[in-house]
Amino acid sequence: MASISGPSKHEMPRDDTIVTDYIHPHSLNTGVPTEEIKPPRTGQEVLVDKAVLEALNIPGAKLQEARQYGSSLWGRTAKLTVQLPDGTIKPYFLKVVPNEDPGKHMCEGEYESLKAMNEVVPSFIPKVYAWGPLEKGPGYFLLAEFRDVGKQPPDPPILCKRLAELHMNSKSPEGKFGFHVTTCHGNLPQDVGWEASWTEMFTKILSRAMSLDLERHGPSREFSAYKPLLFDIIIPRLLRPLETEGRSIKPCLIHGDIWDENCADDANTGEPFAFDAGSLYAHNEYEIGYWRPPRHRLSNRTYIEEYKRHFPVSEPKEDWDDRHILYSMRFNISCSVLVPNSGQRQVIAGCTNVLEDMKFLCRKYCPEEVERVEAELGVKDESGV
């Protein structure tokens, strides 16, 4: 029997296409967007699945209202208004992903991500209450603390301070890189099984992302030619020095998907908070690799420099910028899968993308191998020969 009771008039729409009323941020990397992000709106009433009501588990509480709240690219979201037994009115946030796969990974992964981060920086991450399968499936739900979304993204000083606090104060339960459950970037499950080496962990994550890209777009001769150089030469060159010659890096708990619309000022308190996470324990610099591509407001250099004030760059510092390029590839290649017309994989005039970043790093660190690859591809030099 549900411990919350109350009438609702409409089911959440069952369509798989989520429409937003603003320009999608995962567009071509032609510049930082300047238009204001519209605040989420409250919409029509929705029917709350019995499994959600039971999961809240507050005897005597009454569901007063449930309405659509904002939008989600991969699911549906709502605000629940509940009267507690003492008469207090309390809002809750509900997310529903109406499919079995990857719905289970998305809801469980986000629940465990938010739970772990909330334990480190409670003001920065909403508390989660439950997740599980819908009674009337297919699909899964996530139930969490409701916070009113204000300005997006928050201003650099306090956002970057809170993010650095998360990274610095967290501790991997295994002392390794990875996470204890599968988490997702968007609706893409990540391969985050535990690894002692960050080089191995990142290699696994990027390899998984590129495999998904291959499934989505098919093979590219040029992309395939540079890929072995990236994995065999560039990744070891840029990441192994972090963990050799007496150096080490701490596995830091990261949000994993922190961009303009996954963080906001709390409209009531003014405190920044983040949500919609796909966490793992990683090199902290990997988190802000997402801020390199200019399609985000967080790509403003002020955010990166502010973050570095709170969490200094890892040694060797001279590799910082190239590591940042490398880390950005993981987010860009996933973007090419999630938003196929984003242009992140192929060469498009005026845009930065994964292939061009691969070429840049390969030409810098293995020019002789690049010459061989270009000869095999039949690429002409500048003289036209």
Tab-separated table of all heavy atoms in Angstrom, residues 274-298:
chain	number	residue	atom	x	y	z
A	274	ALA	N	24.529	21.433	-8.210
A	274	ALA	CA	24.687	20.676	-9.451
A	274	ALA	C	23.834	19.420	-9.387
A	274	ALA	O	23.528	18.915	-8.303
A	274	ALA	CB	26.154	20.320	-9.673
A	275	PHE	N	23.464	18.905	-10.547
A	275	PHE	CA	22.542	17.765	-10.615
A	275	PHE	C	22.797	17.008	-11.908
A	275	PHE	O	23.723	17.324	-12.647
A	275	PHE	CB	21.089	18.256	-10.531
A	275	PHE	CG	20.796	19.463	-11.387
A	275	PHE	CD1	20.327	19.332	-12.687
A	275	PHE	CD2	21.004	20.757	-10.894
A	275	PHE	CE1	20.070	20.450	-13.480
A	275	PHE	CE2	20.751	21.883	-11.675
A	275	PHE	CZ	20.287	21.726	-12.972
A	276	ASP	N	21.988	15.982	-12.174
A	276	ASP	CA	22.071	15.207	-13.416
A	276	ASP	C	23.493	14.674	-13.635
A	276	ASP	O	24.098	14.887	-14.682
A	276	ASP	CB	21.633	16.069	-14.593
A	276	ASP	CG	21.060	15.237	-15.736
A	276	ASP	OD1	20.870	14.026	-15.541
A	276	ASP	OD2	20.810	15.792	-16.820
A	277	ALA	N	24.005	13.962	-12.650
A	277	ALA	CA	25.414	13.572	-12.636
A	277	ALA	C	25.641	12.155	-13.146
A	277	ALA	O	24.747	11.310	-13.128
A	277	ALA	CB	25.969	13.688	-11.217
A	278	GLY	N	26.879	11.917	-13.575
A	278	GLY	CA	27.360	10.590	-13.954
A	278	GLY	C	28.766	10.438	-13.414
A	278	GLY	O	29.747	10.559	-14.141
A	279	SER	N	28.871	10.175	-12.125
A	279	SER	CA	30.139	10.310	-11.415
A	279	SER	C	31.098	9.141	-11.612
A	279	SER	O	30.722	8.056	-12.053
A	279	SER	CB	29.879	10.474	-9.914
A	279	SER	OG	29.237	11.677	-9.616
A	280	LEU	N	32.339	9.392	-11.230
A	280	LEU	CA	33.366	8.393	-11.014
A	280	LEU	C	34.488	9.064	-10.246
A	280	LEU	O	34.520	10.292	-10.134
A	280	LEU	CB	33.893	7.805	-12.330
A	280	LEU	CG	34.731	8.711	-13.244
A	280	LEU	CD1	35.745	7.875	-14.014
A	280	LEU	CD2	33.829	9.443	-14.226
A	281	TYR	N	35.380	8.270	-9.715
A	281	TYR	CA	36.604	8.791	-9.103
A	281	TYR	C	37.645	8.889	-10.207
A	281	TYR	O	37.952	7.893	-10.874
A	281	TYR	CB	37.069	7.894	-7.962
A	281	TYR	CG	36.140	7.956	-6.772
A	281	TYR	CD1	35.034	7.111	-6.688
A	281	TYR	CD2	36.349	8.871	-5.745
A	281	TYR	CE1	34.163	7.188	-5.612
A	281	TYR	CE2	35.483	8.946	-4.663
A	281	TYR	CZ	34.395	8.109	-4.607
A	281	TYR	OH	33.525	8.197	-3.532
A	282	ALA	N	38.165	10.103	-10.423
A	282	ALA	CA	38.993	10.379	-11.590
A	282	ALA	C	40.050	11.419	-11.239
A	282	ALA	O	40.063	11.977	-10.134
A	282	ALA	CB	38.114	10.894	-12.732
A	283	HIS	N	40.926	11.703	-12.191
A	283	HIS	CA	41.814	12.858	-12.072
A	283	HIS	C	40.935	14.093	-12.097
A	283	HIS	O	40.082	14.248	-12.980
A	283	HIS	CB	42.798	12.874	-13.247
A	283	HIS	CG	43.785	13.985	-13.186
A	283	HIS	ND1	44.381	14.502	-14.327
A	283	HIS	CD2	44.282	14.711	-12.147
A	283	HIS	CE1	45.215	15.471	-13.976
A	283	HIS	NE2	45.168	15.610	-12.648
A	284	ASN	N	41.100	14.985	-11.136
A	284	ASN	CA	40.200	16.130	-11.032
A	284	ASN	C	40.157	16.974	-12.297
A	284	ASN	O	39.126	17.549	-12.660
A	284	ASN	CB	40.591	17.006	-9.844
A	284	ASN	CG	41.928	17.698	-10.026
A	284	ASN	OD1	42.972	17.040	-10.070
A	284	ASN	ND2	41.925	19.014	-10.133
A	285	GLU	N	41.278	17.066	-13.029
A	285	GLU	CA	41.329	17.903	-14.236
A	285	GLU	C	40.414	17.370	-15.341
A	285	GLU	O	39.981	18.124	-16.215
A	285	GLU	CB	42.763	18.004	-14.752
A	285	GLU	CG	43.698	18.777	-13.836
A	285	GLU	CD	45.140	18.767	-14.319
A	285	GLU	OE1	45.397	18.271	-15.442
A	285	GLU	OE2	46.022	19.240	-13.570
A	286	TYR	N	40.126	16.081	-15.285
A	286	TYR	CA	39.231	15.486	-16.282
A	286	TYR	C	37.847	16.134	-16.230
A	286	TYR	O	37.211	16.329	-17.270
A	286	TYR	CB	39.138	13.982	-16.026
A	286	TYR	CG	38.096	13.244	-16.818
A	286	TYR	CD1	38.184	13.130	-18.202
A	286	TYR	CD2	37.017	12.635	-16.184
A	286	TYR	CE1	37.231	12.433	-18.926
A	286	TYR	CE2	36.058	11.927	-16.891
A	286	TYR	CZ	36.169	11.835	-18.263
A	286	TYR	OH	35.213	11.142	-18.976
A	287	GLU	N	37.399	16.475	-15.030
A	287	GLU	CA	36.078	17.099	-14.869
A	287	GLU	C	35.910	18.329	-15.759
A	287	GLU	O	34.881	18.509	-16.410
A	287	GLU	CB	35.886	17.496	-13.408
A	287	GLU	CG	34.583	18.228	-13.092
A	287	GLU	CD	33.491	17.288	-12.636
A	287	GLU	OE1	32.830	16.704	-13.520
A	287	GLU	OE2	33.321	17.147	-11.407
A	288	ILE	N	36.933	19.191	-15.765
A	288	ILE	CA	36.777	20.458	-16.489
A	288	ILE	C	37.262	20.363	-17.935
A	288	ILE	O	37.315	21.372	-18.628
A	288	ILE	CB	37.464	21.618	-15.741
A	288	ILE	CG1	38.959	21.381	-15.576
A	288	ILE	CG2	36.799	21.838	-14.391
A	288	ILE	CD1	39.693	22.586	-14.985
A	289	GLY	N	37.572	19.156	-18.390
A	289	GLY	CA	37.794	18.966	-19.818
A	289	GLY	C	36.543	19.310	-20.615
A	289	GLY	O	36.614	19.705	-21.785
A	290	TYR	N	35.390	19.181	-19.944
A	290	TYR	CA	34.106	19.517	-20.582
A	290	TYR	C	33.997	21.011	-20.845
A	290	TYR	O	33.173	21.452	-21.641
A	290	TYR	CB	32.973	19.064	-19.665
A	290	TYR	CG	31.680	18.712	-20.357
A	290	TYR	CD1	30.613	18.203	-19.625
A	290	TYR	CD2	31.510	18.859	-21.725
A	290	TYR	CE1	29.416	17.859	-20.229
A	290	TYR	CE2	30.313	18.517	-22.347
A	290	TYR	CZ	29.277	18.016	-21.589
A	290	TYR	OH	28.102	17.679	-22.203
A	291	TRP	N	34.807	21.809	-20.149
A	291	TRP	CA	34.715	23.260	-20.278
A	291	TRP	C	35.594	23.804	-21.403
A	291	TRP	O	35.587	25.012	-21.641
A	291	TRP	CB	35.114	23.934	-18.967
A	291	TRP	CG	34.241	23.582	-17.811
A	291	TRP	CD1	33.142	22.757	-17.816
A	291	TRP	CD2	34.377	24.033	-16.462
A	291	TRP	NE1	32.599	22.664	-16.561
A	291	TRP	CE2	33.331	23.438	-15.710
A	291	TRP	CE3	35.273	24.878	-15.820
A	291	TRP	CZ2	33.170	23.666	-14.343
A	291	TRP	CZ3	35.114	25.107	-14.458
A	291	TRP	CH2	34.070	24.516	-13.728
A	292	ARG	N	36.345	22.959	-22.085
A	292	ARG	CA	37.209	23.459	-23.153
A	292	ARG	C	36.444	23.840	-24.422
A	292	ARG	O	36.683	24.898	-24.981
A	292	ARG	CB	38.306	22.452	-23.493
A	292	ARG	CG	39.353	23.057	-24.423
A	292	ARG	CD	40.495	22.104	-24.726
A	292	ARG	NE	41.559	22.783	-25.445
A	292	ARG	CZ	42.597	23.372	-24.883
A	292	ARG	NH1	42.719	23.370	-23.565
A	292	ARG	NH2	43.517	23.974	-25.618
A	293	PRO	N	35.536	22.979	-24.917
A	293	PRO	CA	34.830	23.334	-26.149
A	293	PRO	C	33.997	24.594	-25.965
A	293	PRO	O	33.302	24.741	-24.954
A	293	PRO	CB	33.950	22.113	-26.434
A	293	PRO	CG	33.869	21.374	-25.154
A	293	PRO	CD	35.130	21.657	-24.409
A	294	PRO	N	34.047	25.517	-26.908
A	294	PRO	CA	33.395	26.828	-26.733
A	294	PRO	C	31.890	26.820	-26.872
A	294	PRO	O	31.279	27.876	-26.907
A	294	PRO	CB	34.045	27.676	-27.839
A	294	PRO	CG	34.448	26.702	-28.886
A	294	PRO	CD	34.841	25.461	-28.149
A	295	ARG	N	31.263	25.658	-26.906
A	295	ARG	CA	29.799	25.632	-27.009
A	295	ARG	C	29.119	25.896	-25.667
A	295	ARG	O	27.902	25.963	-25.593
A	295	ARG	CB	29.337	24.289	-27.574
A	295	ARG	CG	29.688	23.083	-26.716
A	295	ARG	CD	29.203	21.786	-27.362
A	295	ARG	NE	29.593	20.619	-26.587
A	295	ARG	CZ	30.731	19.941	-26.775
A	295	ARG	NH1	31.566	20.333	-27.713
A	295	ARG	NH2	31.006	18.882	-26.039
A	296	HIS	N	29.893	26.013	-24.594
A	296	HIS	CA	29.328	26.207	-23.261
A	296	HIS	C	29.685	27.572	-22.680
A	296	HIS	O	30.743	28.123	-22.975
A	296	HIS	CB	29.863	25.138	-22.295
A	296	HIS	CG	29.535	23.744	-22.695
A	296	HIS	ND1	30.378	22.689	-22.476
A	296	HIS	CD2	28.448	23.232	-23.302
A	296	HIS	CE1	29.840	21.586	-22.930
A	296	HIS	NE2	28.669	21.887	-23.437
A	297	ARG	N	28.824	28.095	-21.826
A	297	ARG	CA	29.140	29.309	-21.077
A	297	ARG	C	30.265	29.035	-20.077
A	297	ARG	O	31.058	29.918	-19.773
A	297	ARG	CB	27.893	29.812	-20.355
A	297	ARG	CG	26.795	30.288	-21.324
A	297	ARG	CD	25.445	30.342	-20.643
A	297	ARG	NE	24.393	30.679	-21.591
A	297	ARG	CZ	23.825	29.792	-22.410
A	297	ARG	NH1	24.206	28.516	-22.391
A	297	ARG	NH2	22.878	30.163	-23.244
A	298	LEU	N	30.324	27.816	-19.575
A	298	LEU	CA	31.404	27.439	-18.669
A	298	LEU	C	32.752	27.373	-19.372
A	298	LEU	O	33.787	27.212	-18.726
A	298	LEU	CB	31.104	26.088	-18.012
A	298	LEU	CG	29.952	26.066	-16.998
A	298	LEU	CD1	29.680	24.647	-16.523
A	298	LEU	CD2	30.250	26.961	-15.805
